[in-house]
Amino acid sequence: MKKSTRIIYLTLVAIGAIIGVASCEETTETYSEYTKDGEIIYVGTPDTVLVAPGFEKLEFSVVINADPKISSGVLQTKDKSFIQEFDVVRKNAGQDTIAFTVDLAEGEYNFDVILKDDAGHTSIPREVNTVVYGTKYQEALISRGISSIKAYETDALVTWGNVPDGSISTSFTYEDAAGALQTIEIPNDIGETALTSYKLGGQIMIESTYAPAANAIEVFNSASETMFPDKFQLDHSLITALKLPFDASDGCHGSTYERLTDGATGEFWHSCDSPEDLYPFVMSFDMGVTADLRGFRLDKRSACCGGRSPGAYQIWGTNDLTGAETVDIDAGELADWEVDAIAKGWVKLLDVADNTQETIEADIPENAMSFRYIRVVGISSINGETTANFDEFTFMATGVE
């Protein structure tokens, strides 16, 4: 039994030795296959590659490790259509950063950043995907818009639109009353800008600044131009109702004349059922100043009933109320009332017969005279009803005395 056990043991050892020799031969052959040209030596791979965009350029910051053999590098696209080499000049013995800028056409790029030593050994590539911005990007940018400009006799209020995506600031340049250009910066969180001096019809230039990335080395600008209004709103607080004979009343449903000239919409004037309130009707106002009238605005009732705004209407003016009372407009034909108004010193400034806009904004033609007292004559409504209903009157001028 002992002899048999010994024979089996020796046989197993022999087999194991044969397998071990064969395995070593196979490993040696495999290693030789990969080292037949000599062992491959790599230098340190870039730790980090940061890219900062500019206009048709990129600034690269390549963070390298402490490997002292690194002496240069190469930036190249995957297809090698662009190749740029750079030297590695250390400022620090350990980790260091190499920065350089390259000029490139606008577009998307896929780069490899490779480091090298003087013996020609290279690092494993560090892949970088980035975008170069240029003319196409800039042309697609828009400057911040102006929602509205409320122009008054000496000052103005500019209301800004939404900030375009990516815009970091806005520059606002405008003409003051003396014609001199003034520039102020408009932060993104500012919605209104009050001006204490401006020029009617003056120039406005808006330039918004964009940074395509937080670390951009250059910014991009988008510019636009517009103008101040060529007329300003008369001060609502100076306007009072005259209520001449046969004029419309304060109205019904809580209405008053003050609602028509309080400078705010949301509270309406509504006619009563009396003839002087229904179309046709006359309303007379003291502007508080003698003005070169150039415009009229009527805001429709904000909650409903815009069809009750005037479809046909007139604006008249005078500077002398002595004997200015006219006949009842409901007593005869409109033409007869007009003849009487002219005879009493009233001048027709505007005559509109085909308005379809529920909120009206109309220009008043230039007149050789300025006027203090104004009459609004509602002839008929847009929808044909005789009921009148609207929110606010606003009068515009180019100058006051």
Side-chain angles (χ1 to χ4, degrees):
M1 288 294 295
K2 291 182 178 180
K3 185 176 181 180
S4 299
T5 300
R6 182 179 178 80
I7 293 171
I8 293 171
Y9 172 75
L10 292 172
T11 302
L12 291 173
V13 171
I15 293 172
I18 293 170
I19 293 172
V21 170
S23 177
C24 288
E25 290 177 351
E26 182 178 347
T27 301
T28 302
E29 290 173 359
T30 302
Y31 180 79
S32 299
E33 178 183 350
Y34 287 97
T35 59
K36 60 185 178 180
D37 296 326
E39 184 178 0
I40 299 176
I41 299 174
Y42 289 101
V43 298
T45 302
D47 290 348
T48 306
V49 178
L50 302 176
V51 185
F55 184 85
E56 295 184 348
K57 64 169 65 73
L58 296 172
E59 181 181 82
F60 287 84
S61 296
V62 182
V63 181
I64 60 176
N65 58 31
D67 186 348
K69 299 188 300 298
I70 300 172
S71 61
S72 63
V74 61
L75 172 72
Q76 61 187 32
T77 53
K78 288 290 186 180
D79 61 3
K80 294 183 173 57
S81 60
F82 174 86
I83 299 174
Q84 178 160 321
E85 297 186 352
F86 57 91
D87 293 328
V88 173
V89 180
R90 287 183 175 274
K91 298 178 182 178
N92 302 302
Q95 189 183 70
D96 207 349
T97 301
I98 306 302
F100 58 92
T101 302
V102 294
D103 296 324
L104 291 159
E106 187 172 12
E108 297 182 1
Y109 289 85
N110 189 0
F111 291 107
D112 280 333
V113 180
I114 303 167
L115 299 177
K116 301 191 296 184
D117 64 14
D118 289 337
H121 303 130
T122 63
S123 69
I124 296 172
R126 173 73 70 180
E127 185 174 341
V128 179
N129 296 312
T130 189
V131 177
V132 176
Y133 299 90
T135 302
K136 291 180 180 179
Y137 170 77
Q138 180 162 293
E139 289 178 346
L141 301 177
I142 57 174
S143 57
R144 189 175 182 182
I146 292 177
S147 294
S148 66
I149 300 177
K150 291 184 178 179
Y152 304 99
E153 182 181 354
T154 59
D155 58 328
L157 181 65
V158 179
T159 301
W160 295 98
N162 293 332
V163 178
D165 292 341
S167 174
I168 57 177
S169 66
T170 295
S171 175
F172 175 47
T173 301
Y174 65 96
E175 285 186 272
D176 65 16
L181 292 178
Q182 306 292 336
T183 299
I184 55 178
E185 295 300 315
I186 309 299
N188 285 349
D189 60 351
I190 295 298
E192 291 183 338
T193 300
L195 305 176
T196 58
S197 175
Y198 79 99
K199 180 179 178 181
L200 274 181
Q203 187 177 14
I204 292 175
M205 292 166 285
I206 305 168
E207 186 173 76
S208 290
T209 301
Y210 290 78
N215 64 339
I217 58 175
E218 292 178 320
V219 295
F220 293 73
N221 297 310
S222 177
S224 63
E225 295 186 9
T226 186
M227 309 288 283
F228 280 113
D230 58 2
K231 48 187 172 289
F232 60 85
Q233 297 182 22
L234 291 178
D235 188 344
H236 284 94
S237 67
L238 299 179
I239 301 174
T240 57
L242 289 173
K243 294 184 180 176
L244 297 176
F246 307 115
D247 276 3
S249 73
D250 266 341
C252 288
H253 308 289
S255 298
T256 64
Y257 261 46
E258 286 72 19
R259 287 186 175 184
L260 284 171
T261 58
D262 63 2
T265 58
E267 291 190 339
F268 57 86
W269 179 88
H270 193 294
S271 61
C272 297
D273 291 333
S274 56
E276 65 267 19
D277 281 9
L278 301 175
Y279 285 101
F281 63 82
V282 181
M283 292 179 172
S284 307
F285 300 93
D286 180 350
M287 298 289 99
V289 293
T290 302
D292 298 325
L293 287 174
R294 292 292 182 273
F296 171 69
R297 178 183 172 94
L298 175 149
D299 285 279
K300 77 178 188 71
R301 181 178 173 182
S302 53
C304 76
C305 316
R308 294 173 178 173
S309 293
Y313 65 96
Q314 297 173 350
I315 306 292
W316 294 71
T318 189
N319 286 312
D320 187 1
L321 292 180
T322 304
E325 298 86 350
T326 54
V327 298
D328 185 355
I329 197 170
D330 296 304
E333 298 296 326
L334 175 63
D336 297 331
W337 183 91
E338 291 185 15
V339 169
D340 183 61
I342 294 171
K344 302 292 178 56
W346 291 94
V347 177
K348 187 192 295 186
L349 306 178
L350 184 66
D351 191 349
V352 176
D354 55 356
N355 171 61
T356 59
Q357 302 301 313
E358 295 177 350
T359 290
I360 300 167
E361 190 152 357
D363 292 329
I364 295 177
E366 185 174 356
N367 194 289
M369 296 178 60
S370 299
F371 298 96
R372 174 161 181 165
Y373 308 108
I374 300 299
R375 292 192 118 174
V376 177
V377 180
I379 299 170
S380 61
S381 67
I382 293 174
N383 62 12
E385 292 184 49
T386 57
T387 300
N389 196 190
F390 30 78
D391 273 6
E392 187 76 12
F393 288 168
T394 303
F395 299 91
M396 278 75 75
T398 55
V400 295
E401 298 177 5

